[in-house]
Amino acid sequence: MSERWYVLSCIPRKERVIYHQLRDQGFDVYYPYLVARTSSPNMLKIEPYFPGYVFVRVDSDKIALNTFKWMPMVEGLVCVAGLPAFIPDRIVHAIHRKLWK
């Protein structure tokens, strides 16, 4: 089986921490976010586009998908009918294009 994108459910507001943890472990991770202005003219705020979720690209032949269930601040992969649901590459790329056009 080839690599696929999966949605990882995590504690809201911890998406960036999870992103860095997974990236440091060698995973391909996507954390969609928006940059917003604050009331202070010199400050910007990062807001997750999907609060409580990050995308992780995994080859399920090489990595057991239940690996993510036991990570701190992570609830596990989003499942449909008891199976981890994958997201087509084109959807992840479309999200990226929408946010950074």
Side-chain angles (χ1 to χ4, degrees), residues 24-38:
D24 291 347
Q25 293 176 27
F27 288 101
D28 190 4
V29 188
Y30 179 48
Y31 162 49
Y33 62 88
L34 299 169
V35 179
R37 295 213 178 270
T38 64

Side-chain angles (χ1 to χ4, degrees), residues 10-26:
C10 59
I11 295 173
R13 303 284 179 224
K14 297 298 181 187
E15 301 88 359
R16 195 167 177 188
V17 173
I18 301 301
Y19 166 81
H20 287 289
Q21 281 181 348
L22 290 171
R23 191 188 64 186
D24 291 347
Q25 293 176 27

Side-chain angles (χ1 to χ4, degrees), residues 8-67:
L8 187 63
S9 177
C10 59
I11 295 173
R13 303 284 179 224
K14 297 298 181 187
E15 301 88 359
R16 195 167 177 188
V17 173
I18 301 301
Y19 166 81
H20 287 289
Q21 281 181 348
L22 290 171
R23 191 188 64 186
D24 291 347
Q25 293 176 27
F27 288 101
D28 190 4
V29 188
Y30 179 48
Y31 162 49
Y33 62 88
L34 299 169
V35 179
R37 295 213 178 270
T38 64
S39 56
S40 174
N42 296 329
M43 294 192 65
L44 297 175
K45 184 164 90 173
I46 294 176
E47 290 290 331
Y49 195 67
F50 299 109
Y53 299 96
V54 296
F55 297 89
V56 62
R57 189 171 174 85
V58 177
D59 183 341
S60 62
D61 289 340
K62 295 180 181 176
I63 303 289
L65 295 178
N66 67 356
T67 299

